[in-house]
Every structure is written in structure tokens, then in C-alpha cells.
Amino acid sequence: MGNAKQAIADGKTLLGIEFGSTRIKAVLTDMDNNPIAQGSHSWENRLEDGIWTYTLDDIWGGLKDCYKNLMEDVERQYGEKLTKVGAMGFSAMMHGYMAFDKDDNLLVPFRTWRNTITEKASDELTEIFGYHIPQRWSIAHLYQAMLNGEEHVKNVAFFTTLAGYIHWQLTGEKVLGVGDASGMFPIDSATCDYNEKMVGQFDKLAAEKGYSFKLRDIIPKSLPAGADGGKLTAEGAKKLDPTGTLEAGIPVCPPEGDAGTGMVATNSVGVRTGNISAGTSVFSMVVLEHDLSKAYPELDLVTTPSGEQVAMVHCNNCTSDLNAYVGLFREFAKATGNDIDDDTLYGTLYKKAMEGDADCGGLLAYNYFSGESITGFNEGRPLFVRRPDAKMNLANFMRTHLYTALGALKVGNDILMKEENVKADFFFGQGGFFKIRGVGDRVMAAALDTPIKLMETAGEGGPWGQAILAGFMLNKENGETLEQYLNNKVFKGGKVETFEPVAEDVKGFDEFMKDYKAGLEIERAAVNSLN
């Protein structure tokens, strides 16, 4: 505690703040990357006029509250005021669309990654580029607005991601880390910059539709990990900390997406390393040792924070439906006079699931709170079905919802591993799905038939990864790569738990997936009938 107190007093700390789907979290570390304080703020996206969004009030109110809670945690633990840090960084859920005019006014409500409203743009750009452009990518949102003839497009002077927006407002710099930039527009890994040929193709499309802007004039500059992202301005410091305690001038690293910070937080930036983040949404990533043979609509190509190509399987839905059912059991418990804490409730139900049949006994569910492009859905309806002769019990019911949380993820990874022969020696896991050890890791190992590794620090997640990136910018040696920095200065000697796939689980998951794929028409009927 004494060392941490002195580090805070001297400003020899690192700060990472990440905007997740349901929580904004801040992690403060010492210069050895050990977490010493944290703050958070819970929030939820809202569906307004058919668009999943967060308002600017949500964004700034949430950031200020998160930082306020961090300051209070620092003062409570160490009796110190947080006046300065050595370096900081901001990260957020990737993709989406925040467009601004020349006076910096937001032109339309923030369109988040969760929206599946850009199918035509996605298809056309994929065909033109010969490179898969998912619906949630920022360029798909811009192009769809162009196809729609939306009035605001002619006034777009700048568009960016949520992380890019926060960084811009706090530093004045219109930049992005290359990992986050790779979710806006395709990246050339050789240059860590946008693909020049595709930039030209897009500019031609825009001109043909009567728009005078050039893409490079309205998109953030792409920066690799370790680059100078600017400094916290006086106005930015006031936006983050209205009390005026935080000093301006703090170095800020390039803003990253949650995929990139997840790779960093799990030391998954080297070739054949894999990373999975599983919470409200779920995505897996493998750093590639060879190019894919063709473009697949189920697979995204993004990059590590240092620009290496990564194959990503991204699914919009993971634990939301599972959490809803856990909430139902919580409500039942309260009705019987039992107030059960979350750790006990989740632990009991998740561990019970491991007593169920490996194939879930004929039960089936779809966790589609929103659309799921991997399986071809623009909208979703959470659904649970069973045959009359299915083995309906609590263990199978919970196991079914753990399995279906990964159903779409398995569809995408089967393409990657079985058709493209991509190899992952292991996947590091992080996120709420892995909260109960021996359950989330076991189910994930069965789904991917690959060892799953968990680390003690992975629970700190993305904001810790962003704090590490801030430290890399500040402390890297000449010529030192991000992979070297992580291996030698962050994760050396760290405790790691590994769960190997269980043959019976792997076979059972494969059997479950036969029903999952066959039953997609049931889900489609539910979407069409339940409006």
C-alpha cells in the first residue's frame, strides 16, 4: 500500500478507461501494471426510433461518474487526491457511427455496433472491395446513410468511433489506434494505415453520388500502439473531472477498441494466439500466420494494436438472455423469502449446468436479443423450445443457455478452423461468461475444441489493457515491440489457469449444434410473427 500511495502522490501511475456495453470502467495501475484502484459506472444502450444508441448525456454523465468513483476509491484507500497520472488512454466498444459537422455538432444519434441496419451497404462495399465489410463497421454506416439519401451526409466533416470521440474531446486530436481504426475501414498492415486502393474506390463512389468530401479528410488518422496520441487539454481535464483536481498536460495514448484492449489484457498479440471476450456480446480473435483464401461474411479482418492481421468472429448476442433467466430465478428466490447474492446465484446455477447432459438433453434456445448476422438475422427474438420427450430439468436448462450463448460463435469459428485451417494454440478468455471457473471455460473449450486459458488479471479486462497501452507509449525502449513488452514486462511470471477440452463435452456440443442449425427456421418464424 505504501508504494501505491507514493506512486499516486508522484503521479507515477497509468490510467485506462473503457466504455463497455453495460459498464464504463476505470483502472489505475502502478508503473509495473499492477491495478491499485478502480471506478465504474453502469449504463445500458437504448432502442430509440429503431436505433440502438447512447445519448451524449449518457456518455459524459457516465464518464464523469466513473472517474469520480475512481477518485473516491483512491482517496478511500490511500488518502491521496488524484491530481495527475503518468499517462492515460481511452477505449470503447468498436465500430458504430458518430458523425459531426464543421462546428462539431453531432448530426444524428450515435449508431452503435449493435445495429443491423446497413445490409445493402455491407453487401455492396464487400463486393467492390473484395473484402468483407460487416454491417456494424463505421464505413458501412456512412455508406448506408449515403444510399438512404440521408440529409445529414452532405454536412459530415468528421466521423469516428466512441473511443475516437472521447479522445478527440479530451485532447483535440482526431486520431485512432490502428486496432479501432480497423473496425472503421480496412487497414493495410504494412503501413498501419487505411488501405489506399480501397480509399480511392470509396472516394469514387462518393463522387458518383454527388458528395465532395474525401475519406481521408473526414476519418481519424490511424496510429500504431506506442505512438504519441496527444495530451489532455485544460478543457479535456475539466470534462473528465469537473472538480478541477486533475491537471492538464497528461500524455494520452491512441484510443483503442475493446477488441484491441482485450488482446493486450490477455497477452494475445502474437501469431497463433487467440483471445475471447464474452459478455453482452462475444467475439473471438486469432492472430493469423497466413492470409485467408477468400472473404467470408461470417469473418472480420481487424488488427492488433500494432497492426498485425487478426481474424475475428463477432456475435452481437451472448449473455443477455442467460442473465435474464438468472434474474427470473433471483425473483423466485426473493418471492420465497431468500435474498441470494449474485455470486451465489450465478455459481449455483452455472455449476448445476455441468451436471446436465453433454448435448443438453434435447433442449434448444436462441439468445437473439438483437440481430445476428453470422446466422443471417437482422432482428432477433429470444426463444426457448423443446420436444415433448426432451429431458427438461434445471441442469439441462442452464446448460442449454450456456451453449446457445456460444452458438453463433461456433458457426464462425468452424469456418475459420475447418475450412481455412487456421490454428490457435489456445484462447485466452475474459469477460463475465468466465466468472465461474470450471464452467464458462469448460463450455468454451467444448465449443471451440481448443484449450482455454484464464489469468488472474484478465478480470480487469479492457481498461487494464488500455492502461498497459498507455504505459507502452510512455515506457517502451527503442525498437521494442508490443509483443516483447507484454511478454517481458507485463505477463512474465503471471498465474495462468488452463482448461483442456473434455471429449464428451466436445461431442455433446457438436450434437447440440446440429439442432441449433436445424432450428434456425423456428427462430426466423418467431422474428416474422412476433412484431
Side-chain angles (χ1 to χ4, degrees):
M1 180 174 175
N3 290 340
K5 179 181 173 68
Q6 192 61 51
I8 292 166
D10 295 342
K12 294 182 177 180
T13 55
L14 304 167
L15 173 61
I17 299 180
E18 181 160 295
F19 290 73
S21 299
T22 60
R23 187 169 63 150
I24 305 169
K25 185 176 179 183
V27 170
L28 187 72
T29 77
D30 59 23
M31 285 295 178
D32 292 322
N33 306 292
N34 300 304
I36 57 176
Q38 63 180 1
S40 66
H41 171 85
S42 295
W43 70 339
E44 284 287 351
N45 55 188
R46 57 184 79 195
L47 187 63
E48 294 185 348
D49 299 323
I51 301 293
W52 290 104
T53 190
Y54 302 86
T55 67
L56 293 183
D57 286 343
D58 292 336
I59 293 168
W60 290 109
L63 177 60
K64 290 172 184 176
D65 186 56
C66 173
Y67 186 78
K68 174 174 171 285
N69 290 333
L70 171 70
M71 289 195 302
E72 290 173 350
D73 188 42
V74 168
E75 193 155 7
R76 181 170 53 251
Q77 287 195 71
Y78 307 106
E80 294 285 341
K81 290 192 179 296
L82 192 58
T83 60
K84 58 185 176 180
V85 298
M88 62 170 59
F90 301 89
S91 52
M93 52 194 126
M94 292 175 67
H95 318 296
Y97 181 70
M98 298 190 79
F100 301 86
D101 65 16
K102 61 181 177 58
D103 297 317
D104 300 341
N105 298 306
L106 185 68
L107 289 167
V108 290
F110 172 30
R111 298 172 182 179
T112 77
W113 60 270
R114 198 170 193 174
N115 291 286
T116 49
I117 56 175
T118 65
E119 183 176 13
K120 184 174 175 59
S122 171
D123 291 345
E124 287 192 15
L125 290 175
T126 296
E127 183 176 352
I128 292 165
F129 293 162
Y131 187 106
H132 178 46
I133 304 297
Q135 288 199 49
R136 65 186 175 279
W137 279 31
S138 307
I139 197 64
H141 280 282
L142 174 60
Y143 190 53
Q144 188 65 53
M146 292 163 62
L147 293 176
N148 294 345
E150 295 184 36
E151 183 68 20
H152 81 270
V153 178
K154 70 178 189 299
N155 296 319
V156 173
F158 179 57
F159 77 116
T160 189
T161 64
L162 177 56
Y165 168 66
I166 295 297
H167 185 92
W168 168 43
Q169 292 295 300
L170 299 185
T171 67
E173 301 290 340
K174 294 180 177 180
V175 300
L176 271 187
V178 63
D180 203 21
S182 72
M184 288 194 76
F185 194 88
I187 290 290
D188 179 349
S189 287
T191 62
C192 287
D193 197 5
Y194 303 110
N195 184 292
E196 189 59 36
K197 178 183 176 182
M198 296 178 195
V199 168
Q201 289 172 315
F202 187 83
D203 284 345
K204 183 180 178 184
L205 278 177
E208 288 172 352
K209 297 188 181 306
Y211 296 103
S212 59
F213 57 71
K214 299 291 186 182
L215 184 62
R216 286 193 179 276
D217 293 335
I218 64 171
I219 199 168
K221 182 180 179 181
S222 172
L223 297 175
D228 179 5
K231 288 184 169 54
L232 184 69
T233 64
E235 295 82 4
K238 201 74 173 176
K239 284 185 175 182
L240 184 59
D241 174 20
T243 70
T245 305
L246 184 66
E247 297 175 5
I250 296 168
V252 186
C253 70
E256 262 299 346
D258 52 359
T261 59
M263 290 183 231
V264 171
T266 53
N267 194 17
S268 305
V269 300
V271 168
R272 286 178 62 128
T273 61
N275 158 260
I276 297 169
S277 178
T280 304
S281 63
V282 58
F283 54 81
S284 66
M285 295 171 289
V286 180
V287 184
L288 298 175
E289 56 184 338
H290 60 78
D291 291 338
L292 301 185
S293 65
K294 62 179 182 179
Y296 294 88
E298 299 88 353
L299 305 178
D300 301 357
L301 288 176
V302 292
T303 77
T304 68
S306 45
E308 290 83 7
Q309 285 289 315
V310 173
M312 173 194 277
V313 178
H314 184 286
C315 309
N316 288 346
N317 303 283
C318 186
T319 59
S320 292
D321 198 35
L322 179 60
N323 291 339
Y325 279 110
V326 172
L328 199 64
F329 287 112
R330 180 189 294 109
E331 189 177 341
F332 170 75
K334 285 185 177 180
T336 63
N338 295 290
D339 196 359
I340 305 175
D341 66 86
D342 277 359
D343 288 343
T344 302
L345 183 63
Y346 276 90
T348 301
L349 291 171
Y350 276 35
K351 289 173 184 175
K352 187 68 179 177
M354 296 299 93
E355 300 173 14
D357 295 308
D359 64 357
C360 299
L363 308 186
L364 181 62
Y366 296 95
N367 64 334
Y368 296 0
F369 259 58
S370 59
E372 195 59 80
S373 58
I374 283 182
T375 49
F377 288 85
N378 288 330
E379 295 180 71
R381 302 291 184 272
L383 185 67
F384 171 69
V385 294
R386 63 188 175 99
R387 292 186 293 268
D389 61 347
K391 298 177 184 177
M392 178 66 174
N393 54 49
L394 180 59
N396 280 342
F397 180 82
M398 290 306 303
R399 194 173 187 123
T400 296
H401 285 90
L402 285 164
Y403 274 24
T404 198
L406 308 181
L409 184 77
K410 181 167 175 60
V411 170
N413 273 281
D414 280 353
I415 294 170
L416 191 62
M417 296 178 180
K418 295 177 181 178
E419 297 184 27
E420 286 289 332
N421 200 33
V422 168
K423 303 294 184 186
D425 296 327
F426 52 81
F427 285 93
F428 274 111
Q430 64 162 342
F433 188 82
F434 299 105
K435 185 174 184 178
I436 308 301
R437 300 294 171 97
V439 179
D441 46 356
R442 176 176 168 179
V443 173
M444 190 68 78
L448 302 183
D449 194 12
T450 304
I452 302 299
K453 293 178 179 286
L454 302 176
M455 352 178 135
E456 289 180 338
T457 49
E460 303 295 345
W464 183 61
Q466 189 65 7
I468 292 171
L469 287 171
F472 179 60
M473 176 191 71
L474 193 67
N475 300 320
K476 71 180 187 302
E477 298 174 15
N478 284 338
E480 186 174 30
T481 67
L482 178 61
E483 183 179 2
Q484 291 167 340
Y485 183 83
L486 295 178
N487 286 332
N488 299 329
K489 296 178 179 174
V490 181
F491 292 100
K492 194 172 184 178
K495 183 180 177 183
V496 176
E497 297 177 16
T498 303
F499 199 102
E500 299 285 343
V502 176
E504 182 183 1
D505 291 347
V506 174
K507 182 180 177 181
F509 207 110
D510 285 342
E511 288 299 314
F512 172 84
M513 287 302 296
K514 291 178 182 177
D515 286 343
Y516 182 94
K517 292 175 183 177
L520 284 170
E521 288 309 310
I522 303 173
E523 170 67 15
R524 201 170 303 282
V527 170
N528 292 334
S529 60
L530 298 176
N531 292 315

